[in-house]
Amino acid sequence: NYGGLKSDRYMKKEITYEVTLTPNPKAQNFAINSKLDVNIYHYGIEAIPLSGNYSGYFRAYVPNGAKLIANSGGEDFRTENQKFYYLFSNIVRIKPAEEDTLSYQYKLPSSLVKDNKYYLYIPKQSGADNDIYTIIVRLPQGYSLKSDRFETKENIAFFNGKLTNDLEFELEIVPDKNSPYVVFQNIDMLEIHGRAGQITVSFNEEIDPAATKNLANFKLTDKNEVNKKSDKIKVVGTSVDGRDLK
């Protein structure tokens, strides 16, 4: 804050950092694409003392070797090379009850993934006790992520919370050996007067169409225990659309 009105106390920041790791088999490394969004909200009221217009200078420190793709938000955007970091900086001006989002998209050097491990260091800013961080790391299908600090769902890792101290994260990249599992199913209609109905089964990830061609692998069972008469139902064909098997 360089405005001198002590309006920092009325500012709320939510930081979202998304990382996409894409394998490059020829180079035997991973391309790293990152997106950093910083939402700054002024929840003060004009009439409250020291709750006037906010003026601040924001700097984001990213690893050296980063290459900016796009940015938005704020004023007077600049970049700067330092010894250990590459800087994005903006002037931010926000009126009470308004907000602004600073957004940066950039590529990171593949050297940040070493021995199939991605490392991330986040220093806690002094006095910023209420900032909320959301970190999402993604890999394509066929990979899984392992971490003690992240919540992991196969190829996606997620962290959400406040920082009480500097944090170092390590995520290990391993082959995905888990089979797809069903997350939802929908029955449009069953056979009526000779017309075939459709059952859609949605999985957690895309499935291989070749694995669904053998109709002998499918069996429909009548689970209606009220009506003891068993319906004759059979699978006459399949189709695949991404994660959906029909």
Side-chain angles (χ1 to χ4, degrees):
N1 179 5
Y2 66 84
L5 293 176
K6 308 297 182 183
S7 51
D8 267 341
R9 70 188 69 187
Y10 299 107
M11 308 307 295
K12 177 183 178 181
K13 294 195 290 292
E14 295 180 352
I15 299 98
T16 302
Y17 181 56
E18 299 182 60
V19 184
T20 301
L21 305 174
T22 305
N24 184 348
K26 290 185 178 180
Q28 296 185 340
N29 59 19
F30 288 84
I32 308 174
N33 288 279
S34 298
K35 185 173 186 288
L36 174 64
D37 291 326
V38 182
N39 179 262
I40 308 172
Y41 177 66
H42 192 331
Y43 61 87
I45 301 174
E46 194 79 48
I48 294 178
L50 305 180
S51 177
N53 296 344
Y54 173 82
S55 296
Y57 184 64
F58 177 88
R59 289 186 294 183
Y61 291 78
V62 301
N64 258 334
K67 295 183 179 180
L68 182 69
I69 299 173
N71 72 282
S72 62
E75 304 174 13
D76 194 23
F77 173 73
R78 299 183 183 185
T79 62
E80 180 184 345
N81 273 310
Q82 292 193 354
K83 184 176 181 180
F84 299 108
Y85 298 100
Y86 187 59
L87 269 65
F88 306 136
S89 62
N90 288 90
I91 293 176
V92 180
R93 306 181 198 276
I94 307 176
K95 296 179 180 179
E98 293 186 359
E99 62 185 298
D100 194 5
T101 298
L102 308 178
S103 183
Y104 313 97
Q105 297 182 49
Y106 51 97
K107 293 183 177 181
L108 289 173
S110 58
S111 58
L112 293 178
V113 177
K114 300 178 182 178
D115 298 324
N116 284 329
K117 292 181 179 179
Y118 171 67
Y119 298 93
L120 175 64
Y121 171 69
I122 302 180
K124 181 189 176 298
Q125 182 179 356
S126 177
D129 298 325
N130 294 316
D131 294 352
I132 300 174
Y133 287 79
T134 299
I135 305 168
I136 304 169
V137 181
R138 295 184 177 90
L139 275 162
Q141 281 185 231
Y143 293 87
S144 287
L145 288 161
K146 295 171 62 177
S147 173
D148 294 334
R149 290 183 176 267
F150 279 74
E151 178 182 352
T152 57
K153 299 291 185 182
E154 295 189 356
N155 60 321
I156 298 176
F158 179 83
F159 171 87
N160 179 260
K162 299 177 181 180
L163 300 188
T164 57
N165 54 280
D166 296 355
L167 286 182
E168 293 187 56
F169 297 95
E170 177 186 298
L171 292 103
E172 183 179 4
I173 302 169
V174 298
D176 180 10
K177 297 181 180 180
N178 299 312
S179 300
Y181 57 84
V182 175
V183 295
F184 178 76
Q185 63 180 3
N186 180 62
I187 301 176
D188 292 336
M189 61 182 297
L190 293 182
E191 184 176 350
I192 299 178
H193 303 304
R195 178 185 176 187
Q198 179 173 281
I199 299 176
T200 301
V201 182
S202 299
F203 291 84
N204 67 309
E205 60 186 37
E206 293 187 4
I207 54 178
D208 182 5
T212 70
K213 296 303 181 184
N214 187 356
L215 299 185
N217 291 332
F218 298 92
K219 180 181 179 181
L220 297 177
T221 303
D222 184 0
K223 292 290 188 179
N224 187 349
E225 297 180 357
V226 177
N227 182 355
K228 298 300 181 181
K229 183 179 178 180
S230 178
D231 298 317
K232 294 181 179 180
I233 307 172
K234 66 177 181 178
V235 178
V236 296
T238 62
S239 66
V240 173
D241 182 10
R243 301 181 181 187
D244 295 336
L245 169 64
K246 300 178 180 180

